[in-house]
Amino acid sequence: MDEIAPSFLDHWPMKDRFRSLPEAFYAAPAGDEVGSDPILIHASPPALAIAGLSEEATGHPDFVPIFSGQREVPGFSPYATVYAGHQFGHYVPQLGDGRAYVIAQGEGPDGNPWEVQLQGAGRTPFSRFGDGRAVMRSVLREYLCSEHMAALGVPTTRAGTVIATRERVERETIEPGAVMSRIAPSHLRFGHFEYFAHTNQTDLLKALMDYTLSTLFPHIERGEGEVATLFNEVVESTADLMAHWQAVGFAHGVMNTDNMSILGLTIDYGPFGFLDQYKPNFICNHSDHHGRYAFEKQPAIALWNLQALASALLPLTEEEPLREGLSRFAPRFKSVHFEKMQAKLGFNTSQQGDDELVASLLSAMEEGQADYTQTFRGLGSIADGEISDHWLAGFAAPAQPAIRQWLDAYRARLLEEAPNERAPVMAQVNPKYVLRNWVAETAIRALEDEGDLKTLDEVFRLVTAPFDDHPGQDAFAEPPPETMQGLSVSCSS
Ligand code: AMP
Ligand code: MG
């Protein structure tokens, strides 16, 4: 008889938390798992490590069947969850994990919870009209961006694996299918709370709150005020997340309440985009006709979404503390965002007029159609006294007077800082590489059209070490070449 290699499963520390909740919260997947021949395309070892898996585990014969949803983890019954949400401002009473389900839940050595959720592995009772599948293109975008955001220091769900199903999926065209594994302490959304509030199931809403408090916010003292305290923390982590997004130039594209994490993580990467030229009204989602989710509107939309969450929590607490919680959003966002912008300018101290300096730079960038990422990245050497001709050339002619004036003011301001070398420090907050649409598209095209994995690998390497120089790869730090400008991306695929 063949010897069976010891499986990663033998040491996978399962802890089935969610099924401690009543059955109204979840349902088993429909069982239309992908066909016989899936293969692993890429894996992110640091993401898998969060779920207690070593890189070697990916080579085990059990791995691909489990991470493509063909086989269950022994002793763990996979489940999809029910939620609702406000989509583009309108309440949709039932959504839920239509193409996602959790295949494993556990706890790290530090006691931190984690769960692994498959995306695109088949239908669930919440699929509505969907096929439960995902296409390679959208899986690769989420995979690359999740791991990129983590490397940028932006709170996010993680991505462990990309598996090609070798099945065709029908969208506007026929496309190759894929399954991704998402990893996070929890995938709970604002919409989970909305569902139980809007269906007047207060007991279940309370059960969800208890679960959330005990598993995800164990530091909150239980008893009176617990809901308000939790809400305050959600307000703050969401404000912080917006500060991260705005500072790094990330537009999510579909900030519906069902795409808002209760943990303040970036979740549900769809038609996201990083700014190329600085355009505050940048709309990355082709289906967002009115620009509800335009780049500059994200903080206000986050607050709108928090109001929807507050309404959902009303059955559990007084109104006043929730109002008080909401009032924390604006000052929190403002101060965290401002701190980040100061760091991007290389300031260690805070001086009067710094806010105007940030605002006037952004306004010159807008007028001068300057590239957001490159402008900040280039500022490091200027702060250390290098000549600025190349940097100035990044601004179109109409903005030249404004940016030259700005540069004088910036240099004068730097004199108030200790005379340290600034470029290396600034290079740690101003990334050289962001996952621009054209860069993601290049990796996708190479894989889909030519079966070339090397480009994906290279892009993964760049975007997961985005502050490093990576000599020889400068082209990927550039704005889109002419042939790849204005790529459009829309909702679920
Ligand atoms: P999203 O736009 O990805 O946030 O998805 C919105 C809702 O549609 C969620 O409830 C998803 O689970 C569901 N959904 C999206 N794509 C599919 C699909 N291919 N099959 C089933 N449900 C889907
Ligand atoms: Mg979603």
Side-chain angles (χ1 to χ4, degrees):
M1 219 169 92
D2 285 348
E3 255 193 60
I4 297 172
S7 172
F8 67 96
L9 294 168
D10 299 341
H11 308 284
W12 213 13
M14 279 307 127
K15 195 158 185 183
D16 195 342
R17 292 179 296 268
F18 204 72
R19 280 184 184 266
S20 66
L21 284 166
E23 280 182 14
F25 284 91
Y26 47 80
D32 58 348
E33 61 271 6
V34 302
S36 58
D37 212 13
I39 48 166
L40 182 67
I41 295 291
H42 217 267
S44 174
L48 290 173
I50 295 169
L53 294 175
S54 68
E55 203 171 348
E56 291 79 67
T58 61
H60 193 276
D62 291 337
F63 189 85
V64 170
I66 284 176
F67 276 74
S68 61
Q70 287 182 323
R71 196 183 304 161
E72 289 180 12
V73 176
F76 192 96
S77 305
Y79 64 82
T81 68
V82 63
Y83 55 80
H86 281 84
Q87 298 193 317
F88 290 90
H90 302 286
Y91 189 66
V92 181
Q94 194 190 304
L95 294 161
D97 297 320
R99 56 161 167 185
Y101 52 85
V102 169
I103 57 157
Q105 267 197 326
E107 229 173 56
D110 42 14
N112 289 337
W114 55 259
E115 59 187 38
V116 179
Q117 188 188 60
L118 298 186
Q119 295 285 324
R123 277 178 301 160
T124 76
F126 312 111
S127 296
R128 298 176 295 159
F129 308 109
D131 59 3
R133 300 289 198 244
V135 300
M136 180 59 85
R137 162 176 60 89
S138 68
V139 160
L140 285 178
R141 281 170 53 85
E142 167 153 356
Y143 175 76
L144 287 170
C145 201
S146 307
E147 295 308 282
H148 178 43
M149 292 288 256
L152 289 167
V154 182
T156 179
T157 58
R158 301 293 299 264
T161 47
V162 175
I163 288 177
T165 61
R166 309 220 249 189
E167 291 180 341
R168 306 268 119 190
V169 175
E170 227 181 299
R171 294 292 180 261
E172 278 150 39
T173 57
I174 306 285
E175 299 191 40
V179 176
M180 198 194 84
S181 61
R182 220 185 237 173
I183 299 165
S186 164
H187 296 85
L188 280 178
R189 303 141 189 276
F190 292 7
H192 282 98
F193 295 85
E194 288 182 285
Y195 176 80
F196 292 100
H198 286 256
T199 50
N200 297 315
Q201 302 185 79
T202 306
D203 286 354
L204 295 179
L205 181 64
K206 180 152 188 344
L208 179 60
M209 179 53 74
D210 282 339
Y211 172 86
T212 308
L213 281 161
S214 64
T215 64
L216 304 172
F217 296 80
H219 53 279
I220 293 181
E221 199 183 320
R222 301 302 304 266
E224 212 189 323
E226 62 187 16
V227 176
T229 308
L230 178 135
F231 184 66
N232 287 342
E233 291 197 15
V234 179
V235 169
E236 287 176 359
S237 63
T238 304
D240 294 355
L241 183 66
M242 292 307 113
H244 275 286
W245 285 3
Q246 301 310 107
V248 80
F250 174 80
H252 180 282
V254 206
M255 286 179 69
N256 296 332
T257 55
D258 52 299
N259 291 339
M260 298 291 291
S261 148
I262 200 74
L263 296 174
L265 307 173
T266 314
I267 192 170
D268 276 19
Y269 291 87
F272 67 84
F274 283 86
L275 294 175
D276 292 309
Q277 287 174 6
Y278 178 64
K279 287 188 195 139
N281 56 4
F282 170 58
I283 303 165
C284 60
N285 180 355
H286 175 69
S287 331
D288 182 7
H289 305 296
H290 301 289
R292 179 180 172 88
Y293 300 139
F295 176 71
E296 66 188 338
K297 294 202 183 139
Q298 298 188 120
I301 288 290
L303 178 58
W304 193 97
N305 290 341
L306 284 161
Q307 281 161 351
L309 176 63
S311 303
L313 299 183
L314 271 176
L316 304 181
T317 179
E318 302 291 313
E319 191 171 333
E320 195 37 45
L322 295 173
R323 280 194 189 287
E324 197 275 324
L326 287 169
S327 73
R328 295 173 180 222
F329 180 86
R332 174 80 176 210
F333 168 74
K334 199 168 164 213
S335 75
V336 178
H337 181 248
F338 185 51
E339 258 171 44
K340 292 189 178 303
M341 298 312 279
Q342 280 181 312
K344 286 174 84 67
L345 292 181
F347 302 159
N348 283 319
T349 66
S350 199
Q351 306 282 339
Q352 215 173 8
D354 282 357
D355 49 352
E356 281 151 47
L357 213 53
V358 171
S360 53
L361 173 60
L362 291 176
S363 124
M365 282 166 69
E366 186 181 2
E367 191 188 8
Q369 300 175 359
D371 185 82
Y372 186 81
T373 305
Q374 290 197 331
T375 300
F376 281 104
R377 181 73 177 189
L379 215 46
S381 53
I382 292 181
D384 282 344
E386 268 185 39
I387 49 160
S388 50
D389 295 3
H390 177 72
W391 187 79
L392 283 169
F395 292 75
Q400 283 295 323
I403 196 59
R404 282 164 195 271
Q405 201 186 350
W406 183 85
L407 204 50
D408 290 341
Y410 179 58
R411 287 186 167 131
R413 167 65 180 82
L414 285 172
L415 298 176
E416 317 214 3
E417 294 284 317
N420 292 331
E421 215 192 334
R422 273 177 282 262
V425 181
M426 289 171 73
Q428 294 309 305
V429 284
N430 294 318
K432 176 169 176 178
Y433 299 91
V434 289
L435 184 65
R436 300 172 192 263
N437 266 348
W438 82 266
V439 173
E441 190 64 19
T442 302
I444 294 165
R445 291 272 62 85
L447 182 68
E448 287 192 5
D449 301 346
E450 281 142 53
D452 158 27
L453 257 167
K454 274 210 324 274
T455 310
L456 172 64
D457 224 30
E458 192 54 48
V459 168
F460 184 83
R461 213 169 59 79
L462 298 178
V463 300
T464 53
F467 299 106
D468 294 352
D469 259 322
H470 302 282
Q473 295 295 345
D474 292 2
F476 282 125
E478 294 289 327
E482 217 161 290
T483 49
M484 295 188 88
Q485 275 168 12
L487 293 172
S488 96
V489 219
S490 56
C491 277
S492 289
S493 45

